[in-house]
Amino acid sequence: MNSYAFLQKFHSGWAYLALLLLVVAVVNAIIGFTSKKEFTAKDRKIALFGLIGAHIQLLVGLILYFVSPLGLNGFNMKDAAARLTSLEHPLINVIALVLITIGWSKHKKAATSELKFKSFAVFYTLGLLLILARIPWHLWF
């Protein structure tokens, strides 16, 4: 198996774990925020795992983008499938990761448990929704 095929399979496979970690982090944040529970080290680790999983996915995706025929080389604005993989998927996912990272940064500055959970609930949810909106589902299944 060549390195491109390995990266492609890793990016597709890791996506399941990254999405699972983000969903768990979002659900945990929403439950913590709505139930007004105390923010603990466990809650911090759950959010951190979501952050790390998403960042690994982005890093592998960016590497894949520059070696893939679907990346820069396949850039075609008239073809919806090519536009999704060449422009929309990478751009929206970078924006999603920026939002998730902002959520992580804001939680560190928050003084209360409620604000910590709120920053994760808002920013991780927005990031997750953007990621889900731009997954090239036709290539994934």
Side-chain angles (χ1 to χ4, degrees):
M1 180 185 308
N2 64 27
S3 59
Y4 169 70
F6 173 78
L7 281 173
Q8 190 176 30
K9 294 214 180 298
F10 183 81
H11 185 65
S12 293
W14 187 264
Y16 291 104
L17 180 60
L19 285 173
L20 176 65
L21 292 169
L22 278 176
V23 167
V24 169
V26 165
V27 169
N28 185 65
I30 292 170
I31 290 170
F33 180 71
T34 57
S35 67
K36 305 214 183 296
K37 73 176 217 163
E38 193 65 32
F39 189 82
T40 66
K42 181 187 108 194
D43 299 310
R44 184 184 152 286
K45 287 176 187 170
I46 289 171
L48 180 60
F49 289 146
L51 178 80
I52 291 169
H55 275 86
I56 290 171
Q57 180 69 356
L58 178 67
L59 179 62
V60 173
L62 288 174
I63 294 167
L64 187 60
Y65 183 76
F66 290 106
V67 300
S68 170
L70 300 174
L72 283 174
N73 300 331
F75 200 79
N76 180 352
M77 292 297 287
K78 293 180 181 176
D79 178 10
R83 186 177 61 242
L84 175 63
T85 56
S86 298
L87 176 67
E88 296 169 6
H89 176 70
L91 177 63
I92 296 301
N93 285 326
V94 167
I95 293 168
L97 263 289
V98 167
L99 289 170
I100 291 167
T101 305
I102 289 170
W104 177 260
S105 296
K106 287 181 82 60
H107 110 275
K108 292 192 286 186
K109 298 174 187 166
T112 66
S113 291
E114 182 180 9
L115 290 175
K116 289 178 186 291
F117 281 123
K118 184 178 181 182
S119 73
F120 288 133
V122 170
F123 288 98
Y124 277 45
T125 299
L126 289 173
L128 178 61
L129 291 175
L130 286 176
I131 290 167
L132 290 173
R134 292 292 99 205
I135 289 176
W137 297 105
H138 68 282
L139 296 175
W140 213 19
F141 294 114

